[in-house]
Amino acid sequence: MESTIISGFPGIGKSFLSIWKGDAVLDLDSGNFLGDNKWQLYKQALIDGIGKYEYILVSTHDETRIILNELNAPYFIIFPDKSLKKEYIQRYKERGNNDSFIKLMEEHFENFVNSIENSKGGVKIKLDKPDMFLKDILYLIR
């Protein structure tokens, strides 16, 4: 089985896809990996999942994109347009993210999007309309 790797920005609907597609999805939430060797464990989990899942969902952290590029793995980066910042902050509040995460995103949203836009590797797909989610563009990547 060929795995489609999706590096998805927070709030695009990765969790929804996991529920919708069930066992066909490996959702590698970076928050579940802790410690000094966090990124080595993350990389190994990604390697272990390739070929076993239809979709592998990973974060958009710089470290994740470095791992994907090191592995020479084809992947898609799904991220919002900066103009949608208010909508995304509201999504984080509605899904119950803690105050520190919301504050981090309020302060650095544009920087995170810029980092993705300026990165090398991956096929970039920008969600540029309100109320647009990963499920709405899935047909583009499968």
Side-chain angles (χ1 to χ4, degrees):
M1 170 188 306
E2 187 176 333
S3 298
T4 299
I5 301 172
I6 300 169
S7 175
F9 200 84
I12 65 160
K14 295 184 301 291
S15 296
F16 176 84
L17 183 67
S18 292
I19 294 166
W20 180 33
K21 294 288 186 176
D23 291 339
V25 177
L26 173 61
D27 189 355
L28 293 176
D29 184 341
S30 61
N32 294 333
F33 294 81
L34 305 171
D36 293 339
N37 62 343
K38 166 184 180 157
W39 295 110
Q40 291 90 342
L41 294 171
Y42 197 80
K43 181 178 182 178
Q44 190 58 54
L46 172 59
I47 291 168
D48 292 345
I50 293 174
K52 295 178 182 149
Y53 295 89
E54 184 178 357
Y55 299 99
I56 300 176
L57 307 176
V58 297
S59 76
T60 53
H61 289 96
D62 293 340
E63 293 88 349
T64 304
R65 289 180 274 132
I66 289 168
I67 289 168
L68 291 166
N69 291 331
E70 284 175 356
L71 294 174
N72 204 23
Y75 64 100
F76 296 88
I77 306 174
I78 315 299
F79 64 102
D81 188 80
K82 288 180 272 198
S83 68
L84 298 174
K85 177 180 177 178
K86 286 182 182 178
E87 177 180 332
Y88 274 74
I89 298 302
Q90 187 60 38
R91 288 182 189 188
Y92 305 144
K93 290 176 182 176
E94 288 174 4
R95 72 182 194 180
N97 282 110
N98 62 43
D99 291 341
S100 62
F101 178 82
I102 292 169
K103 184 177 182 196
L104 173 76
M105 295 307 288
E106 285 176 334
E107 292 175 359
H108 298 285
F109 187 90
E110 292 88 352
N111 293 336
F112 293 150
V113 172
N114 286 338
S115 174
I116 292 167
E117 289 178 332
N118 296 323
S119 68
K120 297 203 182 335
V123 175
K124 297 176 182 131
I125 300 175
K126 185 185 292 188
L127 303 178
D128 58 358
K129 293 179 180 63
D131 297 319
M132 196 173 190
F133 291 88
L134 174 59
K135 67 176 177 54
D136 300 317
I137 56 94
L138 201 56
Y139 71 94
L140 293 173
I141 61 178
R142 196 63 190 161

